[in-house]
Amino acid sequence: MTAPERTEGELPSRRKPIFVGVLALAALVIGLGTWATYAMIDGAVVAAGRVIVESNRQAVQHPDGGVVAEVLVKEGARVSQGDVLVRLDPTLAQSELGMVENQLYEVIARRGRLAAERDGIPNWWQRARPIRRWPSLVPGKRRCSKPGATA
């Protein structure tokens, strides 16, 4: 008996390898099922125990957050209360501080202007001293407080 001749472009049959694969898979499933059904497990060991953490790890979190600039401790290092663990990048805090200080000085200047208007002090803006840190603040208020200007 000779194998049938294939014509050019005809692919070999894939039935035989698929059949062998399905047969091997079925044998594996049946074998594991049989073993799981008939295998005898004598029992389990029951014991009292307690889980103890190897070290007392503590989560550390900054209340405001920020960008960590430098980590000053190593993994597993012992630290005590008050030790500096990380240094935060001060850029964000400094910019927020600058904005809040600017608002504060504007309120101080507005308070002085309103007090001068209440007390009837003429030309108060000519006698106002510039604030040391923001010297441009008072001249801006002077322009807004001149007669005919809007605040």
Side-chain angles (χ1 to χ4, degrees):
M1 189 176 219
T2 60
E5 290 184 27
R6 279 189 266 162
T7 60
E8 192 174 323
E10 187 179 321
L11 296 175
S13 174
R14 295 184 183 166
R15 284 185 167 185
K16 189 174 180 178
I18 291 175
F19 178 73
V20 171
V22 170
L23 188 64
L25 185 62
L28 178 67
V29 170
I30 291 171
L32 285 175
T34 304
W35 175 81
T37 304
Y38 292 110
M40 298 300 283
I41 298 178
D42 291 334
V45 176
V46 178
R50 217 170 65 179
V51 176
I52 300 173
V53 179
E54 185 176 322
S55 64
N56 295 329
R57 290 184 177 230
Q58 187 77 27
V60 178
Q61 184 175 359
H62 189 269
D64 298 329
V67 178
V68 174
E70 182 181 10
V71 178
L72 302 174
V73 293
K74 301 280 187 226
E75 178 72 27
R78 291 189 179 269
V79 295
S80 59
Q81 185 175 356
D83 288 351
V84 178
L85 307 178
V86 295
R87 292 199 195 284
L88 297 177
D89 186 19
T91 307
L92 179 63
Q94 287 174 346
S95 75
E96 288 181 5
L97 175 65
M99 289 188 307
V100 170
E101 282 181 338
N102 192 17
Q103 291 172 355
L104 171 69
Y105 292 135
E106 283 185 20
V107 168
I108 291 171
R110 184 175 298 132
R111 179 178 169 212
R113 178 181 61 88
L114 293 173
E117 288 178 3
R118 178 196 65 206
D119 297 339
I121 300 174
N123 301 328
W124 70 271
W125 61 87
Q126 292 175 349
R127 295 188 314 240
R129 293 177 316 172
I131 297 172
R132 181 173 47 94
R133 189 148 181 198
W134 275 274
S136 63
L137 195 62
V138 171
K141 292 297 179 189
R142 284 180 185 156
R143 281 192 304 273
C144 292
S145 299
K146 288 183 182 177
T150 58

